[in-house]
Amino acid sequence: EVQLVESGGGLVQPGGSLRLSCAASGFTLSSYWMHWVRQVPGKGLVWVSLMSSDGRTTTYADSVEGRFTISRDNAKNTLYLQMNSLRVEDTAVYYCGRDYGYDFAIDIWGQGTMVIVSS
Amino acid sequence: SSELTQDPAVSVALGQTVRITCQGDSLRSWYVSWYQQKPGQAPVLVIYGKTNRPSGIPDRFSGSSSGNTASLTITGAQAEDEADYYCNSRDSSGNQLVVFGGGTKLTVL
């Protein structure tokens, strides 16, 4: 079964760091572009970051540029999001997603992991 | 980055047809995709490449696009279609950036 499972969320203080993981099964992560998308509970989806299949292209939303880093471990078939200098406004459910092509359609989504930034 | 604009809420009577729209400059150049999200669940892709349905998505869901406006149409809405719907596409800047619409809450009456 094709599946994505996120982990690593939790409570962190403003200015702190957290690393999210997204374990893929049923497909090879390095064959696909991958995304991170976040959602404040009760609000809309907001794209955060993407990585190309060859790993050479990574892009970020303006709101996280310079603070978040997307990466991948091919041996573990796992995608990561390193989040530094966290702010209260980064509080959200974070989803990873597999790109389907067609201008960034996302066909497979994880169940999400909650990040709460609070003192 | 560009924006995609959606109506915040739309309602439809059970069994009737409803159209949910998404507007943005990027849609003149790039494909749009649509997602359904029910409370407490991850989004589900229902339309990609403007008009294509993934396997398992009922054929009452269809997509279209003209100019800067894309539409998701549900023909014969069912109670289980009540959900939030989001559009997304490539950013119009030409960079590898992604945009989502603000979402439309669909109520089936």
Side-chain angles (χ1 to χ4, degrees), chain A residues 5 7 19-24 29 71-80:
Chain A
V5 178
S7 60
R19 188 178 79 159
L20 306 183
S21 300
C22 169
L29 205 63
S71 64
R72 186 176 71 203
D73 185 329
N74 292 339
K76 294 183 177 180
N77 213 30
T78 299
L79 182 75
Y80 300 102

Side-chain angles (χ1 to χ4, degrees), chain B residues 55-93:
Chain B
S55 61
I57 301 302
D59 61 6
R60 64 178 179 272
F61 290 88
S62 63
S64 62
S65 184
S66 177
N68 74 334
T69 301
S71 300
L72 171 69
T73 300
I74 307 174
T75 303
Q78 302 299 302
E80 61 264 33
D81 299 333
E82 185 164 293
D84 295 324
Y85 290 85
Y86 297 89
C87 58
N88 93 310
S89 186
R90 182 185 292 266
D91 180 88
S92 60
S93 68

Side-chain angles (χ1 to χ4, degrees), chain B residues 7-82:
Chain B
D7 291 328
V10 171
S11 62
V12 61
L14 184 67
Q16 296 303 300
T17 296
V18 62
R19 178 176 295 178
I20 298 169
T21 60
C22 174
Q23 288 189 303
D25 288 341
S26 64
L27 301 184
R28 297 184 185 277
S29 304
W30 311 115
Y31 288 124
V32 68
S33 297
W34 290 94
Y35 305 86
Q36 177 192 70
Q37 187 181 34
K38 296 181 180 180
Q41 297 183 19
V44 172
L45 180 67
V46 295
I47 294 289
Y48 65 93
K50 280 197 295 189
T51 61
N52 302 294
R53 274 189 319 275
S55 61
I57 301 302
D59 61 6
R60 64 178 179 272
F61 290 88
S62 63
S64 62
S65 184
S66 177
N68 74 334
T69 301
S71 300
L72 171 69
T73 300
I74 307 174
T75 303
Q78 302 299 302
E80 61 264 33
D81 299 333
E82 185 164 293

Side-chain angles (χ1 to χ4, degrees), chain A residues 33 35 37 39 43-47 50 57 59-60 95 100 102-107 109-111, chain B residues 29-31 33 35 37 41-45 48-49 52 86 88-90 96-98 100-102:
Chain A
W33 290 54
H35 300 265
V37 177
Q39 184 175 38
K43 302 297 184 181
L45 299 172
V46 176
W47 175 78
L50 69 76
T57 298
T59 59
Y60 302 90
Y95 296 99
Y100 194 54
Y102 296 91
D103 294 324
F104 300 140
I106 299 173
D107 69 332
W109 295 72
Q111 85 288 352
Chain B
S29 304
W30 311 115
Y31 288 124
S33 297
Y35 305 86
Q37 187 181 34
Q41 297 183 19
V44 172
L45 180 67
Y48 65 93
N52 302 294
Y86 297 89
N88 93 310
S89 186
R90 182 185 292 266
Q96 305 284 22
L97 300 173
V98 183
F100 279 90

Side-chain angles (χ1 to χ4, degrees), chain A:
Chain A
E1 180 188 7
V2 173
Q3 194 175 6
L4 294 169
V5 178
E6 301 97 335
S7 60
L11 174 64
V12 61
Q13 292 188 338
S17 297
L18 211 56
R19 188 178 79 159
L20 306 183
S21 300
C22 169
S25 57
F27 71 99
T28 301
L29 205 63
S30 59
S31 297
Y32 291 86
W33 290 54
M34 296 294 296
H35 300 265
W36 287 99
V37 177
R38 69 185 181 185
Q39 184 175 38
V40 174
K43 302 297 184 181
L45 299 172
V46 176
W47 175 78
V48 173
S49 180
L50 69 76
M51 170 175 276
S52 61
S53 54
D54 63 8
R56 295 179 181 178
T57 298
T58 59
T59 59
Y60 302 90
D62 289 344
S63 57
V64 307
E65 178 81 57
R67 300 188 298 122
F68 290 12
T69 302
I70 189 171
S71 64
R72 186 176 71 203
D73 185 329
N74 292 339
K76 294 183 177 180
N77 213 30
T78 299
L79 182 75
Y80 300 102
L81 185 68
Q82 177 67 44
M83 305 186 295
N84 297 331
S85 303
L86 282 161
R87 305 168 179 168
V88 170
E89 55 265 34
D90 295 319
T91 295
V93 175
Y94 284 74
Y95 296 99
C96 62
R98 187 180 79 171
D99 191 274
Y100 194 54
Y102 296 91
D103 294 324
F104 300 140
I106 299 173
D107 69 332
I108 303 296
W109 295 72
Q111 85 288 352
T113 187
M114 184 73 203
V115 172
I116 300 173
V117 184
S118 174
S119 55

